Amino acid sequence: SGLVHIKNPHLEAMEEDVLYHLDLGTKTHNLPAMFGDIKFVCVGGSPNRMRAFAQFMHKELGLEGDGEDLADICAGTDRYAMYRVGPVLSISHGMGIPSISIMLHELIKLLHHAKCRDVTIIRIGTSGGLGVDAGSVVITDRAVDACFQPRFEQVVLGDVVVRGTDLDSGLVEELLACSKGIPDFPTLVGHTMCTYDFYEGQGRLDGALCSFSTEKKLEYLKRAHDAGVRNIEMESTAFAALCGLCGLRGKS
């Protein structure tokens, strides 16, 4: 049916669903009227970056005005920022798996309550390249953890729950085809490795702690490259797992 699914039977018994970190709710807002025709959701780490992206989309879609007065729908909270431009939502998710996970839980419920159909969600943002030219765009075909496995591990009530991280292969091909018309940015398809930490987790030598040598770092990064990893960031496995379980056509 193309609807966004939620996998939580408890929500049906709730008189009101408050999306705390988005400053929205099912009683305080008419979510179908506000968001029912949304078709694309683009998410990224920085609030300022997602505002700039929304302004870019405003221009690309040829909408009236200059886009400078776009309103932050989540202005009542300082957790995330959200902008609507036609059928596109642009939302910040902060840094790391915990932050994007909170945002995605509430975003998915928002899209469900709004009765959105056939939604495509894309995560855009900076990442550390691995064996690619600086400035390249990596289209993720598989999100993997720091052991190069396509999985997202979540501890739930003391148990480790493992979820798959499949992404939409058709969307990969569509985005790659679109890139052919933008020669300014080298574009490739590869695995994206997701870590829980910016410093030790990504093999950096300049954190407050470092328990490995330069040689060990280079050996690990070579193994990652040999496993198909072409960029490293901190959100893709959670993004892929949650979107996949809830019927969202997703790509990082």
Side-chain angles (χ1 to χ4, degrees):
S1 64
L3 289 170
V4 178
H5 306 292
I6 51 174
K7 302 296 182 70
N8 183 357
H10 302 289
L11 290 179
E12 296 181 5
M14 295 171 53
E15 292 186 7
E16 179 181 10
D17 189 5
V18 179
L19 310 178
Y20 300 100
H21 304 89
L22 301 182
D23 194 36
L24 295 167
T26 54
K27 279 192 173 181
T28 54
H29 298 80
N30 186 339
L31 299 180
M34 294 174 66
F35 302 103
D37 56 349
I38 290 295
K39 293 298 182 183
F40 299 94
V41 180
C42 294
V43 305
S46 162
N48 288 337
R49 187 182 303 154
M50 299 319 293
R51 175 178 171 80
F53 176 77
Q55 291 171 334
F56 171 78
M57 288 305 306
H58 188 278
K59 181 179 179 181
E60 288 294 304
L61 292 172
L63 301 179
E64 292 184 4
D66 58 10
E68 291 297 323
D69 58 348
L70 287 176
D72 178 5
I73 298 170
C74 301
T77 175
D78 60 358
R79 298 298 182 185
Y80 305 104
M82 177 192 298
Y83 302 94
R84 171 166 184 165
V85 185
V88 180
L89 273 185
S90 177
I91 312 174
S92 68
H93 59 60
M95 183 180 292
I97 284 175
S99 185
I100 194 173
S101 175
I102 294 168
M103 188 279 288
L104 284 174
H105 273 278
E106 298 188 11
L107 169 65
I108 290 167
K109 292 196 296 176
L110 166 63
L111 297 173
H112 171 79
H113 292 313
K115 298 179 171 56
C116 296
R117 291 179 179 270
D118 302 317
V119 177
T120 296
I121 180 168
I122 299 174
R123 197 194 86 79
I124 57 178
T126 55
S127 61
L130 194 56
V132 300
D133 293 335
S136 296
V137 175
V138 178
I139 302 172
T140 306
D141 62 355
R142 172 177 289 181
V144 300
D145 64 14
C147 295
F148 322 137
Q149 297 301 309
R151 65 191 178 196
F152 172 58
E153 294 187 354
Q154 172 78 24
V155 178
V156 180
L157 301 183
D159 297 321
V160 177
V161 177
V162 180
R163 291 166 174 156
T165 55
D166 291 336
L167 290 163
D168 190 286
S169 59
L171 187 53
V172 172
E173 297 303 321
E174 288 180 39
L175 292 175
L176 186 61
C178 289
S179 74
K180 305 301 182 185
I182 312 175
D184 298 339
F185 300 98
T187 303
L188 65 148
V189 174
H191 299 352
T192 294
M193 183 169 75
C194 180
T195 69
Y196 286 93
D197 168 59
F198 182 82
Y199 285 98
E200 287 188 296
Q202 296 188 12
R204 287 183 168 83
L205 302 173
D206 58 345
L209 301 174
C210 186
S211 56
F212 46 83
S213 65
T214 301
E215 291 74 23
K216 284 291 185 181
K217 164 189 174 171
L218 295 176
E219 176 190 343
Y220 175 71
L221 293 179
K222 183 180 185 305
R223 285 195 288 121
H225 188 271
D226 291 345
V229 173
R230 293 297 177 268
N231 65 328
I232 306 171
E233 45 84 91
M234 298 174 61
E235 294 89 18
S236 59
T237 53
F239 172 86
L242 269 70
C243 291
L245 284 169
C246 296
L248 281 167
R249 190 172 183 239
K251 180 54 52 195
S252 177

